[in-house]
Amino acid sequence: MSDSITTVFIVVLCGAGTFLFRLLPMLRNAERPANPNVVRFTQAVGPAAIAALLAAMLMPFFETGASVQIHSRGIAAVASLLVTASMHRRFGGIAIPTVCGTICYGFLTLVI
Amino acid sequence: MNPLRKGLLDSLPIVIGYLPIAFSFGLSATQAGLSAGLAVAISALVFAGGSQFVLLGMMTAGGGLLGIVGTVLLMNGRHLLYGRTIAEHLPIGHTTLSRPLLAFGLTDEVFATAIGKIHAIAPFSRPHWLLGLQTGAYLAWVGGTVLGALTGAEVARRLPLVVDMLTFVLPALFLSLLLSLDWRHQRVPVLVSLLATPAMMYVFPASAAIPACIVLGASCALFGRKSNV
């Protein structure tokens, strides 16, 4: 695949569209909304978004199939999530739990 | 501490998560036939992880302009929900940093980290803090793409275990972010989103299922007791 003009144009359009999606709602919030329902909704968007993205990212680790290898990825993922949670409980923050959970997954995919 | 520097420091977990994913993207893009320059340009201009892989896949498969752009923008539609939420935490009428500058780097991970930490930042320091957070994330994303595009093939050949391990970085990062939010105050929205997303993704494409489940989960907050994040 070469870097044709069309390809570059596609990339520019995708970038511009994504940028506008992020910008326009920020511009509309010229003053703080008085509606408490809007406030409650927007307060819940963050946790809901993280939860939805977490679930979406975990799905490839639990694909159905007869292969033992496929199931072992799911087992490794569950164990690594537990390690991530326990490291967060112990140390707090984000970096240490993330690194520990990732290393755990790598180790378990070797042994399972 | 200077808020810009604090934001850069707070971006470290995102940097750890982004580097391997961006590396994978750079590697995939060059293996698909794109030049290293175009691979880096995609990361620099689009700056949205999952949809970049979809963009790459559709270009490789010979997709047309409308199909590719439409699909990528559908996938990134959830970003419409982020800007307003972040804007509510910024001081009204701040003029030191323009909103376009603060909107550009509002990725999933930046948004999630910002929501978890912005309350601890003094209101008039928040724009600079947010800029620092986005700058760290952006440099990691573009830098990781550069590394992947230039060296990825050799690393994958020599260290296949590392490449496999790094597939778990983002799930671990997102779980850590969720736990850092003290999610119990938004228990119902979180559980609804967590359970609805896999179910919806079996029926609908991710580009529709994910934003729908975010709206569904957040809407549940309207029916519960008032709670704070």
Side-chain angles (χ1 to χ4, degrees):
Chain A
M1 185 197 320
S2 62
D3 298 353
S4 66
I5 298 290
T6 305
T7 303
V8 174
F9 194 49
I10 287 172
V11 172
V12 170
L13 281 179
C14 289
T18 302
F19 172 59
L20 286 175
F21 280 179
R22 293 168 178 168
L23 173 64
L24 292 177
M26 285 183 95
L27 294 178
R28 285 191 63 226
N29 190 40
E31 54 185 40
R32 297 196 186 281
N35 190 325
N37 283 332
V38 173
V39 174
R40 289 168 72 180
F41 179 84
T42 53
Q43 283 183 338
V45 165
I50 297 170
L53 290 165
L54 172 61
M57 286 178 188
L58 285 173
M59 282 189 69
F61 295 89
F62 298 98
E63 286 167 352
T64 56
S67 163
V68 171
Q69 186 178 19
I70 290 175
H71 292 307
S72 70
R73 287 187 71 208
I75 294 169
V78 170
S80 303
L81 289 174
L82 291 172
V83 166
T84 303
S86 61
M87 288 296 108
H88 181 272
R89 189 181 175 90
R90 173 69 178 84
F91 297 103
I94 299 167
I96 292 176
T98 300
V99 170
C100 290
T102 303
I103 292 174
C104 175
Y105 179 80
F107 173 73
L108 288 175
T109 53
L110 272 181
V111 300
I112 295 179
Chain B
M1 185 187 288
N2 175 288
L4 186 67
R5 197 177 304 163
K6 174 97 173 70
L8 278 170
L9 200 64
D10 287 340
S11 75
L12 187 59
I14 304 177
V15 169
I16 292 171
Y18 271 9
L19 280 174
I21 307 301
F23 183 91
S24 299
F25 177 76
L27 169 62
S28 302
T30 50
Q31 288 188 330
L34 268 65
S35 66
L38 185 58
V40 174
I42 292 173
S43 284
L45 292 176
V46 181
F47 190 30
S51 61
Q52 287 183 215
F53 286 92
V54 169
L55 186 157
L56 183 65
M58 291 185 75
M59 283 200 292
T60 307
L65 183 149
L66 283 178
I68 296 174
V69 174
T71 302
V72 169
L73 293 184
L74 264 177
M75 279 196 71
N76 291 339
R78 64 186 181 280
H79 294 186
L80 285 166
L81 300 170
Y82 297 168
R84 185 173 177 87
T85 305
I86 289 293
E88 298 212 355
H89 294 90
L90 298 176
I92 298 170
H94 71 91
T95 56
T96 50
L97 288 172
S98 70
R99 294 208 170 182
L101 185 60
L102 294 179
F104 177 75
L106 210 52
T107 64
D108 298 325
E109 294 78 12
V110 167
F111 170 74
T113 304
I115 283 298
K117 291 177 174 281
I118 203 165
H119 296 94
I121 307 297
F124 280 92
S125 296
R126 289 175 185 174
H128 286 88
W129 175 81
L130 191 57
L131 180 64
L133 190 72
Q134 294 180 5
T135 300
Y138 186 71
L139 291 176
W141 188 253
V142 175
T145 303
V146 171
L147 281 174
L150 297 179
T151 69
E154 188 62 20
V155 170
R157 189 179 68 82
R158 289 173 183 264
L159 300 169
L161 171 64
V162 171
V163 174
D164 191 41
M165 180 177 76
L166 295 179
T167 60
F168 198 73
V169 168
L170 280 183
L173 173 65
F174 271 85
L175 178 60
S176 302
L177 285 168
L178 187 62
L179 294 173
S180 295
L181 278 179
D182 193 18
W183 62 277
R184 290 176 187 84
H185 287 122
Q186 296 286 353
R187 188 180 295 122
V188 174
V190 166
L191 288 175
V192 167
S193 290
L194 209 53
L195 296 173
T197 301
M200 290 275 273
M201 283 179 67
Y202 272 113
V203 181
F204 302 104
S207 57
I210 293 174
C213 290
I214 292 173
V215 171
L216 179 65
S219 299
C220 292
L222 300 175
F223 302 103
R225 287 176 294 177
K226 187 184 287 188
S227 57
N228 296 315
V229 175

